[in-house]
């Protein structure tokens, strides 16, 4: 019997069953106490009495189990079967927590091992913390123990329930003071907000209190100061990886190492401005342009397959090949063909566009492979650290039929590769597309029609799930993604089929009428249009379509194939031409950037007054004159010309049309005040990369000195320069005036206006039937968009705005 008076309620029994041979057997007295902080508890504990709390008795009664035997006082079973380990605590703090854990049935282990179920961490430092992160052991704050003790009287409660303990996870940036170097303002603000949300603090770069400096390794080439030994200098992947794992990642794996800044390949000026021989200057400029585009030139043929059948993806026709890897050596055992001899430098335009089709297909397959490898497969992986990042339904909604699209385009790429390797003019490109037309119909509409839902799911999950946001940041920063978001990568299938259709149409244009592939290409184009008819009409950008009509109205001579349901206007800039291509130096040139092409137009020298169209509508005269409509795939390099005394706010495009055997240089001075040159060039390169299906757009930009490519803005407004331009224009007018092979366009316009009435019907897509000016005959077709009522004409399937009839996609 106890030697003290316990003034609390207790459970008493008069019947004690005897064990053994009928004689009384010794039994142990168990004291039930409600207050483990009382003097009664201290007295009983000091005299080694067995003490339990009421929840233990109720727990055993509900389960009809005997009282558990514990050498220490046991108040409840709140932490029964849990094994805890502590790190980062002072002895006095740890003793109190250890007692609470023992009172709730938990066990304490001094050393961390696989038997530890939870790590209680005061800080994110130490080996125990790192081991727990590696093993996926929950890392919790001491508050978890205190809150569990508050639930000690609840018999149904257990501290190990995930819904309860999640609230008490140690935030990944606890005890960390971060600074951020090399990020944009928006990214920096985002990362600072997430630092606070995940338990850390942030200060400016260079503050002595900082424990970590997170570096954007793609933009920072050199640190602003020598970091101290106690400062961790890490890549941004450490930051996002910590959030994804919901634990501080080990810094040693993500240390930022100063990389040798890539030597910017400045085109060495091979020319002397004092050299009187202009042919020598042109030859040296040609060599300079070849050097600038050496890393982007497409090799004539992909390497033949190795004997083992293994093909290196990076060694195929890659527009980003380095000069060393782009040189292809024909194996001795391979059978040389007439079409593939390296000495056959001049290739047909049909070959050039077919090569471009293969290149873009190869790049497109690589992007789909990146989406599956970096995003879809890791999200589907089991046993993820911290649990699944997304639910299976969300993954299915985001990626849809991407695997099916990847499969069919992998096979198309293989067939195109075989065609390109053994090229001849009688090979059929159209047959390859027709072969897979049914597979394309099955794969594309399910993805494209639900792309908006896929995008909305990504945006919603990124906002609601910090781990998914961190997962995206980690993978989007990798070189394979080219600093593009998952949404930007997933939009590629939406853009791919219209791009293929345009390339096939270009191949058809360069295919002779007597070639069998002419008809096959037409069928292939029709098959792609059939696939696109299964795509909802509301996916087309109506606002962009209206802007295209505005461009057609404004640009005289704008080609009909600019009009396309899958094309949209991105941006417009005003410039001054600095070279002799694509127009004379000093011309005011407007560049219209579309998502897949660049319309180049100059300001008209003399604008005729407004006139009445055949249906009686008066439209203002076109202010611009069409020069060329250039597919973005023809741009090999974008040159950011450094500002000098003789050259200001200028850039240049290195262009390679399929009909040309050498690179051309288009140089301009940007005059649009509301557009920064760097923003314009990045925007241009982004859409060039999209067109050729490359992930990294900034590889296309190269900074170089203007002297190396003979570009200068000096004396643009001088009297001598203006006089020189006037002489050139006058010379061209005189040449046209005495030309007997071409009727001046102004004469055609006058003849048309003189013989047309408002009651005349809009002419059809026939060719021009023209008699001598002054006769009673009239023109039966129109060649200028300024002479066409576009809305009524566009209702037809075929339209004629220029000399040829073009089918719109």
């Amino acid at each position: 019997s106890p030697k003290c008076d316990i003034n609390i309620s207790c459970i008493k029994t008069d019947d004690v069953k005897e064990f053994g041979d009928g004689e009384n057997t010794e039994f142990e007295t168990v004291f039930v106490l409600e207050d483990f902080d009382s003097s009664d508890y201290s007295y009983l504990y000091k005299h080694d009495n067995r003490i339990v709390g009421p929840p233990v008795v109720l727990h055993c009664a509900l389960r009809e189990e005997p009282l558990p035997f514990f050498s220490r006082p046991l108040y409840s079973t709140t932490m029964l079967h849990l094994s805890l380990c502590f790190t980062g605590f002072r002895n006095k703090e740890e003793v109190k927590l250890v007692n609470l854990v023992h009172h709730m049935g938990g066990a304490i282990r001094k050393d961390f091992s696989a038997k530890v179920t939870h790590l209680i961490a005061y800080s994110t430092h130490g080996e125990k913390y790192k081991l727990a992160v590696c093993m996926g052991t929950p890392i919790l704050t001491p508050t978890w123990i205190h809150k569990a003790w508050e639930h000690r009287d609840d018999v149904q409660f257990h501290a190990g329930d995930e819904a309860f303990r999640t609230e008490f996870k140690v935030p990944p940036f606890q005890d960390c003071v971060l600074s951020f170097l090399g990020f944009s303002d928006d990214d920096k603000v985002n990362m600072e907000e997430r630092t606070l949300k995940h338990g850390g603090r942030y200060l400016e770069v260079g503050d002595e209190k900082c424990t970590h400096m997170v570096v954007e390794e793609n933009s920072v080439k050199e640190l602003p100061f020598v970091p101290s030994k106690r400062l961790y200098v890490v890549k941004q992947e450490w930051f996002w990886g910590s959030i994804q794992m919901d634990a501080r990642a080990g810094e040693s794996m993500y240390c930022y190492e100063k990389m040798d800044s890539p030597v910017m390949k400045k085109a060495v000026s091979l020319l002397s401005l004092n050299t009187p021989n202009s042919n020598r200057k042109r030859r040296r400029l040609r060599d300079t342009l070849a050097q600038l585009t050496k890393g982007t030139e497409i090799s004539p043929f992909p390497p033949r397959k190795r004997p083992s059948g293994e093909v290196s993806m990076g060694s195929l026709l890659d527009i980003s090949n380095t000069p060393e890897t782009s040189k292809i050596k024909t194996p001795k055992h391979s059978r040389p063909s007439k079409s593939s001899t390296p000495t056959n430098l001049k290739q047909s335009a049909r070959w050039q566009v077919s090569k471009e089709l293969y290149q873009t297909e190869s790049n497109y397959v690589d992007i789909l492979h990146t989406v599956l490898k970096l995003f879809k497969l890791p999200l589907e992986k089991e046993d993820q650290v911290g649990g699944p990042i997304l639910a299976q339904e969300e993954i299915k909604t985001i990626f849809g039929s991407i695997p099916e699209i990847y499969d069919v385009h992998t096979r198309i790429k293989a067939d195109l590769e075989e065609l390109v390797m053994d090229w001849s003019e009688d090979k059929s490109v159209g047959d390859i597309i027709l072969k897979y037309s049914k597979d394309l119909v099955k794969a594309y509409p399910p993805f494209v029609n639900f792309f908006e839902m896929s995008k909305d799911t990504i945006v919603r999950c990124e906002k609601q799930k910090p781990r998914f946001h961190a997962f995206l940041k980690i993978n989007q920063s990798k070189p394979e993604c080219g600093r593009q978001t998952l949404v930007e990568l997933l939009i590629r299938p939406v853009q791919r089929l219209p791009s293929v259709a345009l390339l096939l149409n270009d191949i058809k244009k360069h295919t002779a009428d007597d070639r069998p592939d002419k008809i096959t290409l037409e069928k292939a184009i029709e098959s792609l249009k059939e696939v696109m008819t299964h795509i909802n009409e509301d996916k087309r950008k109506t606002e962009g379509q209206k802007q295209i009509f505005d461009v057609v109205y404004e640009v005289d001579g704008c080609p009909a194939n600019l009009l396309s349901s899958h094309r949209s206007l991105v941006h417009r800039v005003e410039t001054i031409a600095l070279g002799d291509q694509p127009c004379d130096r000093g011309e005011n040139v407007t560049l219209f950037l579309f998502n897949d092409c660049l319309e180049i137009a100059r300001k008209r020298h003399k604008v005729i007054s407004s006139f009445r169209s055949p249906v009686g509508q008066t439209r203002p005269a076109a202010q611009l004159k069409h020069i060329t409509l250039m597919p973005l795939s023809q741009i090999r390099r974008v040159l950011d010309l450094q500002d000098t005394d003789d050259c200001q706010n200028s850039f240049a495009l290195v262009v390679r049309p399929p009909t040309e055997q050498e690179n051309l240089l288009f140089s301009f001075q940007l005059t649009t005040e509301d557009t920064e040159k760097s923003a314009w060039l990045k925007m241009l390169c982004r859409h060039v990369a999209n067109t050729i299906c490359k992930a990294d757009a900034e590889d296309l930009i190269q900074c170089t000195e203007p002297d190396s490519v003979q570009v200068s803005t000096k004396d643009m407004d001088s009297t001598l320069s203006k006089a020189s331009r006037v002489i050139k224009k006058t010379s061209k007018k005189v040449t046209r005036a005495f030309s007997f092979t071409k009727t001046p366009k102004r004469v055609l316009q006058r003849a048309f206006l003189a013989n047309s009435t408002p009651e005349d019907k809009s002419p059809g897509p026939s060719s021009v039937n023209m008699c001598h000016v002054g006769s009673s005959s009239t023109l039966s077709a129109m060649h200028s968009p300024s002479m066409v009522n576009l809305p009524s004409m566009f209702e037809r399937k075929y339209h004629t705005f220029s000399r040829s009839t073009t089918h719109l996609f």
Side-chain angles (χ1 to χ4, degrees):
S1 62
K3 298 179 179 179
C4 66
D5 185 15
I6 303 177
N7 297 318
I8 60 172
S9 59
C10 61
I11 299 176
K12 183 179 179 181
T13 178
D14 295 330
D15 300 325
V16 179
K17 293 184 179 181
E18 297 181 354
F19 297 92
D21 53 359
E23 298 180 358
N24 290 337
T25 305
E26 292 183 2
F27 61 90
E28 183 180 9
T29 301
V30 178
F31 294 90
V32 181
L33 297 180
E34 285 185 335
D35 187 2
F36 274 31
D37 290 327
S38 65
S39 58
D40 295 333
Y41 170 84
S42 300
Y43 179 85
L44 293 173
Y45 179 71
K46 183 177 180 181
H47 290 82
D48 296 328
N49 289 289
R50 188 175 176 190
I51 307 172
V52 297
V56 174
V57 179
L58 295 175
H59 173 87
C60 294
L62 289 173
R63 291 165 176 75
E64 297 181 354
E65 298 175 353
L67 291 175
F69 178 80
F70 275 83
S71 60
R72 300 182 182 89
L74 179 65
Y75 184 87
S76 68
T77 56
T78 304
M79 287 191 174
L80 196 62
H81 307 308
L82 299 186
S83 181
L84 279 59
C85 184
F86 291 84
T87 180
F89 290 89
R90 297 177 181 177
N91 291 334
K92 292 183 179 180
E93 296 173 344
E94 189 172 342
V95 168
K96 186 177 181 180
L97 293 172
V98 167
N99 289 334
L100 291 178
V101 172
H102 285 156
H103 292 341
M104 291 184 286
I108 302 296
R109 293 184 179 273
K110 182 178 180 180
D111 298 323
F112 187 87
S113 66
K115 295 181 179 180
V116 174
T117 59
H118 299 77
L119 178 69
I120 310 302
Y122 186 79
S123 69
T124 56
H125 303 283
E127 290 300 321
K128 291 181 180 179
Y129 182 90
K130 294 178 182 179
L131 288 172
V133 172
C134 294
M135 299 179 66
T137 303
I139 306 173
L140 306 177
T141 64
T143 308
W144 174 62
I145 298 176
H146 292 293
K147 289 294 182 181
W149 181 248
E150 293 177 3
H151 290 79
R152 62 187 180 277
D153 292 320
D154 186 353
V155 180
Q156 304 295 335
F157 176 79
H158 193 270
D161 293 341
E162 184 176 358
F164 172 71
R165 64 177 170 82
T166 300
E167 182 182 351
F168 307 102
K169 286 184 176 180
V170 173
F173 302 132
Q174 181 170 304
D175 302 327
C176 297
V177 182
L178 311 183
S179 60
F180 302 94
L181 178 66
F183 297 91
S184 65
D185 292 340
D186 292 340
D187 288 342
K188 184 180 178 183
V189 170
N190 177 35
M191 297 174 82
E192 289 174 346
E193 291 175 352
R194 293 185 181 276
T195 299
L196 297 177
K197 183 178 180 180
H198 291 87
R201 296 186 299 128
Y202 65 86
L203 294 171
E204 291 300 320
V205 172
D207 195 296
E208 294 181 354
K209 297 179 181 178
C210 290
T211 60
H212 296 73
M213 182 167 65
V214 184
V215 179
E216 212 293 316
E217 61 272 18
N218 294 316
S219 61
V220 175
K221 303 305 179 184
E222 190 172 347
L223 299 179
F225 59 89
V226 178
S228 63
K229 293 183 178 180
R230 65 180 185 84
L231 178 66
Y232 291 106
V233 182
V234 293
K235 302 175 184 177
Q236 61 172 325
E237 190 174 354
W238 171 85
F239 179 85
W240 297 115
S242 298
I243 296 177
Q244 180 185 329
M245 294 189 301
D246 208 8
R248 176 178 164 185
E251 289 83 1
S252 60
M253 296 177 59
Y254 305 98
C255 286
Y256 171 82
E257 297 178 359
K258 179 183 176 183
M259 297 178 294
D260 293 334
S261 300
V263 179
M264 193 65 71
K265 297 180 181 178
K266 296 181 180 180
V268 179
S269 180
L270 301 177
L271 50 96
S272 171
L273 298 180
N274 297 324
T275 305
N277 192 335
S278 60
N279 290 331
R280 185 183 300 175
K281 284 187 178 182
R282 284 195 293 268
R283 184 168 60 252
R284 290 180 175 175
L285 176 60
R286 179 186 61 197
D287 294 340
T288 301
L289 296 181
Q291 181 182 353
L292 284 168
T293 59
K294 195 173 184 180
T296 63
E297 288 298 332
I298 303 176
S299 304
F301 299 94
R304 296 189 180 274
K305 293 183 179 181
R306 302 171 184 173
S308 61
E310 297 178 356
V311 179
S312 173
M313 294 183 63
S315 63
L316 296 178
L317 291 183
D318 190 348
I319 201 168
S320 63
N321 280 346
T322 60
E324 290 76 18
T325 59
S326 63
K327 296 178 182 179
I328 297 176
K329 297 181 180 180
T330 305
K332 294 181 180 179
H333 62 272
S334 62
R335 178 178 58 85
S337 61
K338 181 178 179 180
S339 61
S340 62
T341 49
T343 56
N344 186 17
L345 297 177
K346 292 188 177 181
Q347 299 291 348
S348 66
R350 172 178 159 86
W351 151 247
Q352 295 286 348
V353 183
S354 299
K355 181 178 62 175
E356 182 181 332
L357 175 62
Y358 169 77
Q359 175 63 65
T360 57
E361 186 70 15
S362 178
N363 294 339
Y364 179 58
V365 170
D366 288 346
I367 288 177
L368 295 178
H369 178 75
T370 296
V371 170
L372 295 176
K373 180 182 176 182
L374 291 186
F375 296 95
K376 186 174 185 294
L377 295 180
L379 288 173
E380 293 175 335
K381 186 178 179 181
E382 297 180 358
D383 301 328
Q384 300 177 29
V385 177
I389 297 176
L390 293 180
Q392 289 297 323
E393 295 78 9
E394 293 169 330
I395 297 175
K396 187 175 181 180
T397 302
I398 290 173
F399 297 99
S401 59
I402 286 292
E404 290 78 11
I405 295 175
Y406 173 71
D407 178 67
V408 63
H409 278 278
T410 300
R411 288 180 280 151
I412 293 176
K413 171 193 169 185
D415 288 358
L416 287 174
E417 178 182 333
E418 184 176 351
L419 177 140
V420 171
M421 285 174 64
D422 297 316
W423 173 262
S424 63
E425 290 296 327
D426 58 352
K427 291 290 183 69
S428 176
V429 180
D431 281 339
I432 296 177
I433 305 300
L434 288 175
K435 179 181 177 181
Y436 297 102
S437 59
K438 293 183 179 179
D439 296 324
L440 294 172
V441 170
K442 293 179 181 178
Y444 268 91
F447 179 81
V448 177
N449 289 336
F450 293 95
F451 173 72
E452 292 299 325
M453 184 183 298
S454 171
K455 184 173 67 173
D456 293 342
T457 303
I458 294 174
V459 173
R460 174 177 55 81
C461 291
E462 192 172 6
K463 288 182 179 179
Q464 298 177 355
K465 303 183 178 184
R467 293 180 61 214
F468 180 61
H469 177 79
F471 171 81
L472 294 181
K473 285 292 186 180
I474 291 172
N475 290 287
Q476 289 166 181
S477 64
K478 294 181 179 178
E480 300 96 306
C481 294
R483 293 177 285 278
Q484 291 189 91
T485 64
L486 177 59
V487 172
E488 291 172 331
L489 292 174
L490 287 177
I491 203 174
R492 295 304 181 85
V494 180
Q495 303 168 336
R496 180 57 185 163
L497 291 187
S499 299
V500 174
L502 291 175
L503 286 171
L504 292 179
N505 196 60
D506 206 6
I507 295 174
K508 186 184 77 171
K509 183 173 66 175
H510 297 295
T511 302
D513 293 339
D514 58 348
R515 294 282 184 182
D517 199 28
K518 187 83 169 183
I519 299 177
T520 309
L521 284 168
E522 292 177 353
K523 293 180 179 179
I525 295 171
E526 289 297 325
S527 70
L528 289 181
K529 286 192 290 184
E530 181 184 353
V531 177
M532 289 185 280
T533 57
H534 289 80
I535 298 174
N536 294 340
E537 290 294 326
D538 58 2
K539 303 302 175 190
R540 301 180 180 182
K541 301 177 181 178
T542 55
E543 184 62 30
Q545 291 298 299
K546 294 178 181 178
Q547 293 175 340
I548 294 180
F549 277 108
D550 293 338
V551 173
V552 174
Y553 286 135
E554 188 176 0
V555 179
D556 183 23
C558 190
N561 58 1
L562 177 66
L563 294 168
S564 171
S565 59
H566 297 279
R567 180 173 290 136
S568 59
L569 180 64
V570 178
H571 198 63
R572 164 184 180 160
V573 294
E574 304 296 332
T575 68
I576 297 177
L578 300 179
D580 55 359
Q581 292 188 30
C583 59
D584 293 335
R585 175 180 169 86
E587 295 273 13
N588 292 309
V589 177
T590 302
L591 304 180
F592 297 94
L593 175 62
F594 295 89
N595 57 305
D596 62 345
C597 62
L598 185 69
E599 165 65 19
I600 303 177
R602 64 167 174 81
K603 185 177 180 180
R604 296 189 63 163
H605 301 150
K606 184 177 181 181
V607 181
I608 60 175
S609 60
S610 60
F611 56 87
R612 188 174 296 275
S613 67
V615 293
Q617 294 182 347
T618 303
R619 297 197 178 280
Q623 301 294 318
L624 302 173
K625 176 72 175 177
H626 167 74
I627 297 177
T628 183
L629 178 63
M630 180 175 62
L632 295 181
S633 58
Q634 294 182 7
I635 299 177
R636 299 301 188 206
R637 181 74 76 186
V638 176
L639 303 182
D640 183 2
L641 302 181
Q642 299 174 352
D643 286 347
T644 63
D645 293 339
D646 295 337
C647 190
Q648 298 288 328
N649 206 29
S650 302
F651 66 95
L653 308 177
V654 182
V655 179
R656 182 71 173 273
T659 55
E660 298 289 336
Q661 299 298 322
E662 296 177 355
N663 294 313
L664 304 178
L665 183 71
F666 296 172
S667 53
F668 306 93
Q669 181 183 32
L670 190 65
T671 59
T672 305
E673 295 181 356
D674 58 349
T675 301
E676 292 185 1
K677 184 176 69 168
S678 60
W680 156 248
L681 296 183
K682 287 182 180 180
M683 184 190 307
L684 174 61
C685 289
R686 177 72 273 159
H687 286 85
V688 172
N690 290 347
T691 303
I692 63 177
C693 293
K694 289 293 292 183
D696 198 346
E698 294 187 10
D699 284 349
L700 295 169
I701 301 179
Q702 183 165 328
C703 184
T704 188
E705 296 178 357
D707 289 346
S708 64
V709 287
Q710 306 180 51
V711 175
S712 173
T713 59
K714 189 176 182 181
D715 299 330
M716 286 294 296
D717 298 325
S718 66
T719 304
L720 182 61
S721 178
K722 292 179 180 179
S724 175
R725 294 198 293 271
V726 170
I727 292 173
K728 286 185 178 180
K729 294 173 185 177
T730 305
S731 176
K732 289 183 178 181
K733 290 179 181 179
V734 172
T735 303
R736 287 197 298 265
F738 287 94
S739 173
F740 294 94
T741 60
K742 180 180 179 181
T743 306
K745 185 174 181 181
R746 187 173 300 173
V747 176
L748 295 180
Q749 291 178 340
R750 290 173 180 172
F752 177 80
L753 294 174
N755 292 279
S756 298
T757 62
E759 290 76 16
D760 290 340
K761 295 182 179 180
S762 300
S766 58
S767 59
V768 177
N769 295 324
M770 180 179 61
C771 66
H772 200 276
V773 177
S775 66
S776 59
S777 299
T778 62
L779 301 176
S780 61
M782 299 167 289
H783 303 300
S784 170
S786 59
M787 304 162 71
V788 179
N789 178 18
L790 281 177
S792 61
M793 292 292 290
F794 193 61
E795 292 175 358
R796 301 185 180 185
K797 190 175 181 181
Y798 294 85
H799 311 276
T800 304
F801 297 115
S802 58
R803 295 185 183 273
S804 61
T805 300
T806 304
H807 189 196
L808 306 181
F809 296 104

